[in-house]
Amino acid sequence: GAVVSQHPSRVICKSGTSVKIECRSLDFQATTMFWYRQFPKQSLMLMATSNEGSKATYEQGVEKDKFLINHASLTLSTLTVTSAHPEDSSFYICSATRGTSGGGANVLTFGAGSRLTVL
Amino acid sequence: GQNIDQPTEMTATEGAIVQINCTYQTSGFNGLFWYQQHAGEAPTFLSYNVLDGLEEKGRFSSFLSRSKGYSYLLLKELQMKDSASYLCAVTDSNYQLIWGAGTKLIIKP
């Protein structure tokens, strides 16, 4: 089955530093990957859609200069939280789709998530 | 605007059956997903419905009525490990995925 690897699973950093999170599709090519953040006891919030070889599409309210997304290859997308602050502490999750599955569904496969704590 | 409603929390007993409802109002419809998310983990795919009716997959079944903008996830023979949040998500006419807030299911012995 489709596997998405996300690294690191946990990261603690000081305020003002930058943190990079990697998302890899291990056994399929993902032309599109998605980045979400999730605050405790809240639902997933789509941050951006990452397309291989082009600029990411950011959702309204998400600062593209703060959350840098790079989709350099068909199997790798990265999210860099620049100049992180405590309010950026959250659970960041990536997902990818390998395309249609049976009845035409674009089933998402999620990475395990990265819990960011900014001190 | 686009909206997906599902109960915030439900409680059920081990071995019993529980039905989690989801209603949606979206601009167009291209399928409905149910995902399971255990605390602190990423969601995992459970089911997909694009046509009306019931899709059965082991202990889990999902139902869709497009005319009513309604779906439910039915969990049978509940086990303690089924304690999780269940997320309903709809693909709209632009193939954007709209997420519900999730239903936290608590299973008691």
Side-chain angles (χ1 to χ4, degrees):
Chain A
V3 178
V4 173
S5 173
Q6 186 173 343
H7 177 81
S9 58
R10 294 179 186 274
V11 58
I12 301 173
C13 70
K14 293 182 179 181
S15 185
T17 60
S18 295
V19 174
K20 179 185 284 188
I21 302 170
E22 291 188 350
C23 181
R24 294 179 184 272
S25 55
L26 298 185
D27 52 358
F28 67 100
Q29 293 184 332
T31 54
T32 303
M33 291 185 174
F34 304 89
W35 286 96
Y36 299 84
R37 68 188 296 182
Q38 187 176 35
F39 292 106
K41 300 182 180 180
Q42 295 187 24
S43 186
L44 298 171
M45 184 193 82
L46 178 65
M47 298 175 66
T49 302
S50 169
N51 297 296
E52 186 266 337
S54 64
K55 292 183 179 180
T57 302
Y58 290 82
E59 295 299 301
Q60 192 173 8
V62 178
E63 299 175 60
K64 62 181 181 181
D65 294 331
K66 178 155 185 72
F67 299 99
L68 300 178
I69 292 173
N70 184 284
H71 196 151
S73 74
L74 286 171
T75 59
L76 173 64
S77 177
T78 61
L79 167 68
T80 302
V81 183
T82 62
S83 186
H85 288 93
E87 58 265 30
D88 298 324
S89 298
S90 186
F91 190 49
Y92 292 88
I93 311 173
C94 72
S95 70
T97 176
R98 63 185 308 171
T100 59
S101 171
N106 284 324
V107 177
L108 293 175
T109 301
F110 287 85
S114 300
R115 188 163 299 283
L116 171 64
T117 303
V118 184
L119 303 176
Chain B
Q2 310 213 85
N3 193 50
I4 296 183
D5 289 314
Q6 45 181 136
T8 304
E9 187 174 296
M10 299 182 70
T11 303
T13 305
E14 188 176 18
I17 299 173
V18 71
Q19 177 175 309
I20 303 174
N21 295 325
C22 171
T23 58
Y24 62 89
Q25 299 94 38
T26 57
S27 54
F29 177 84
N30 278 301
L32 184 146
F33 296 84
W34 284 96
Y35 285 84
Q36 179 191 60
Q37 185 178 23
H38 286 99
E41 299 181 11
T44 55
F45 170 75
L46 287 180
S47 69
Y48 170 74
N49 294 71
V50 67
L51 299 176
D52 291 350
L54 186 68
E55 294 278 344
E56 297 187 76
K57 192 183 294 185
R59 293 189 299 114
F60 292 7
S61 303
S62 56
F63 171 83
L64 174 68
S65 169
R66 288 171 296 171
S67 62
K68 296 181 179 178
Y70 168 69
S71 172
Y72 67 72
L73 180 69
L74 190 71
L75 293 76
K76 303 177 184 176
E77 301 170 17
L78 286 170
Q79 302 175 9
M80 297 303 293
K81 67 178 183 179
D82 297 330
S83 292
S85 286
Y86 292 85
L87 305 171
C88 173
V90 172
T91 306
D92 69 9
S93 57
N94 293 319
Y95 291 91
Q96 297 295 310
L97 198 58
I98 314 300
W99 291 89
T103 298
K104 182 178 179 181
L105 178 62
I106 300 169
I107 309 296
K108 295 185 175 181

